[in-house]
Amino acid sequence: MFINMDETQVSSIKHSGKGLVAINKVKRDNLLSQPKQPRDRTDVKTSLMGTVCDCPALQPFLPQVMLPKYTKRCVPPQRFLDAYAITGGPFEYWHGSVGWTDSQIMKKRATRLRSIVSSFNSDAWIVLILDCSHVHLNVKTIAHLKRLGILVLMLPAKLTWLCQLLHVYVYSGLKSLIRSGQCALRLSSHDGSVPIGAWIDINAKAIREVIVDRDWQDSFAKLGAGDSVLDMNNQLRSYVAAEDVTPSLPTMDQFARMVNRPSHTVITARLHSMVVGGFLDLQQLPLNASPGPGAMVDLPYLPAASKRARPAPADDAPWEDVVRKYLRRRPSGISDL
C-alpha cells in the first residue's frame, strides 16, 4: 500500500482578522478598539507529522503525530497533558523535541507506522512516499527503513507542490479549516479573544476532519500512485503525458539528479543502493511473500474513511451563490482538486 508522510507547522497558523471594519472616525467617536489578545504561552512551536494512505479502512488508524516544543525540552504541565489526551486517537503527542522532525524522530515514526500497518494487515508491503528533505533522505533514516522492510519512493526535489499528496491536496485545506475554527471561536467569545489552550482542540478537530476521516485513494491515483497512470490529474499531464510514464528503477546518475545531490559522492551512492536495493530484494522473493512482522497492537473497530462530500446546490439556489461557492473552493495555485 502507498503511504505519504510529511511535516508542516501548525502553531504559526493564525486567523488574519480580515473583514468589515469601521472607519477611523467612527471608531474614535464610538470608542471602538480591537480587544487585546492575551498571549497564549501554551501555543508553543508545534509541527504536525501527517500521514495518509490509499486504504480507506486503514486511514483512521494511522498516527497523526504532534511535536510541541517546550522550554529545555521539558514535559508540559499535567493540565495540558489532559487536554492532549482528550483529543483521542489516532493523535499522538511526542514531547521532548525541538518542535520539528529529526532523524531519531523519523526512525521512531517509521517503526510506529510499521507496527500499525502490520497489526492491520500483516501481508501488506509499505511503499512510503517521501520528499527529499535531509531529514528523510539521510543514511540513518533510509537504513532504518530498509531494515523495517519499508520500500521508499523518493519524490523529485523541488516538486512537492506538484507530486506530494499532502502538499497538493491536504495541508492547504487543513490550515484554512484551522483558521475558520479560530475565527468561529472569536465570534462566540464575548470579548473576541481565543481562550488559553483552545488551539489544541481546534487543531485536533480540523486534522480529524481533513486527514483522519477522509478517503485519499483517488488522490493517490491523481498523482500517479494508482492502478493506472491514466488517472493522473491535469496538472501532471501538462508536464508529462500519461503514456510516457513507465515504472523503472533509476540509475545512479538519474537518482542523483532527481534528489538534487552530486552523483560522485559516497553518501549518494549509499542512498541509491539502499533505496533501489529494497525493490531489487523484493523482486527476488516469491509472489506470496510477506514483509517482516512489526510489533502487534490491538486496533479497535473504526468505520473506514469516506470520500469528501461535495453536496450539489439546491435547485432553487441563486446562481450568484453557487458561482461564489465554487470560486471559493478553487485553489489558488493547484488545479483539478
Side-chain angles (χ1 to χ4, degrees), residues 127-128 130-131 136-139 141-143 145-146 150-155 248-250 255 258-259 267-282:
V127 180
L128 185 60
L130 298 172
D131 60 31
H136 305 154
L137 189 59
N138 63 75
V139 172
T141 300
I142 298 300
L145 292 174
K146 193 170 187 299
I150 296 177
L151 304 173
V152 181
L153 184 61
M154 302 305 304
L155 296 173
S248 63
L249 295 175
F255 178 81
M258 183 179 70
V259 299
I267 298 298
T268 304
R270 290 184 64 185
L271 292 173
H272 174 260
S273 175
M274 288 187 290
V275 171
V276 174
F279 292 93
L280 294 177
D281 293 343
L282 181 60

Side-chain angles (χ1 to χ4, degrees), residues 16-30:
S16 63
K18 294 180 180 178
L20 299 177
V21 297
I23 61 175
N24 290 334
K25 183 178 185 304
V26 173
K27 289 192 289 186
R28 287 196 304 268
D29 294 344
N30 294 274

Side-chain angles (χ1 to χ4, degrees), residues 33 45 66 107 132 162 287:
S33 63
K45 177 183 177 182
M66 306 289 285
K107 291 191 290 184
C132 296
L162 178 67
L287 291 178

Side-chain angles (χ1 to χ4, degrees), residues 27-286:
K27 289 192 289 186
R28 287 196 304 268
D29 294 344
N30 294 274
L31 302 177
L32 300 177
S33 63
Q34 184 176 1
K36 184 178 180 180
Q37 173 67 35
R39 183 178 179 182
D40 188 352
R41 296 185 180 275
T42 70
D43 192 1
V44 294
K45 177 183 177 182
T46 305
S47 61
L48 162 69
M49 298 193 295
T51 309
V52 293
C53 71
D54 63 347
C55 176
L58 173 62
Q59 182 63 43
F61 298 105
L62 293 181
Q64 309 300 325
V65 179
M66 306 289 285
L67 296 176
K69 173 188 176 182
Y70 289 90
T71 304
K72 298 181 181 180
R73 301 193 181 189
C74 66
V75 176
Q78 185 61 44
R79 63 182 184 277
F80 300 137
L81 294 178
D82 294 340
Y84 292 142
I86 291 175
T87 60
F91 297 101
E92 299 183 6
Y93 297 85
W94 294 1
H95 304 291
S97 73
V98 296
W100 194 251
T101 312
D102 56 24
S103 295
Q104 288 299 116
I105 292 177
M106 188 65 192
K107 291 191 290 184
K108 178 182 176 183
R109 181 184 182 189
T111 304
R112 174 66 173 155
L113 175 67
R114 189 188 69 157
S115 174
I116 296 295
V117 174
S118 182
S119 301
F120 178 82
N121 182 359
S122 59
D123 294 328
W125 288 87
I126 299 175
V127 180
L128 185 60
I129 303 175
L130 298 172
D131 60 31
C132 296
S133 165
H134 69 280
V135 174
H136 305 154
L137 189 59
N138 63 75
V139 172
K140 292 182 179 179
T141 300
I142 298 300
H144 185 72
L145 292 174
K146 193 170 187 299
R147 284 194 296 270
L148 294 177
I150 296 177
L151 304 173
V152 181
L153 184 61
M154 302 305 304
L155 296 173
K158 302 180 181 180
L159 287 181
T160 55
W161 62 272
L162 178 67
C163 302
Q164 181 158 248
L165 190 148
L166 284 166
H167 280 232
V168 178
Y169 293 118
V170 181
Y171 284 153
S172 176
L174 171 65
K175 294 179 180 181
S176 177
L177 190 59
I178 290 177
R179 292 189 185 96
S180 297
Q182 294 174 355
C183 181
L185 203 58
R186 286 183 181 275
L187 290 174
S188 62
S189 174
H190 70 280
D191 59 355
S193 62
V194 178
I196 301 297
W199 64 273
I200 299 174
D201 185 58
I202 293 175
N203 289 357
K205 286 181 178 178
I207 294 169
R208 185 176 299 279
E209 178 179 342
V210 174
I211 299 180
V212 177
D213 294 336
R214 189 165 298 172
D215 176 4
W216 296 104
Q217 185 173 12
D218 292 344
S219 299
F220 275 96
K222 290 179 180 179
L223 296 177
D227 295 333
S228 172
V229 294
L230 298 178
D231 297 327
M232 289 195 314
N233 63 23
N234 293 334
Q235 188 80 0
L236 273 176
R237 287 173 180 267
S238 66
Y239 292 95
V240 58
E243 55 269 17
D244 294 335
V245 178
T246 55
S248 63
L249 295 175
T251 64
M252 176 65 180
D253 290 337
Q254 290 173 337
F255 178 81
R257 186 166 61 252
M258 183 179 70
V259 299
N260 197 26
R261 289 177 179 246
S263 60
H264 61 277
T265 65
V266 176
I267 298 298
T268 304
R270 290 184 64 185
L271 292 173
H272 174 260
S273 175
M274 288 187 290
V275 171
V276 174
F279 292 93
L280 294 177
D281 293 343
L282 181 60
Q283 290 180 354
Q284 306 303 318
L285 299 177

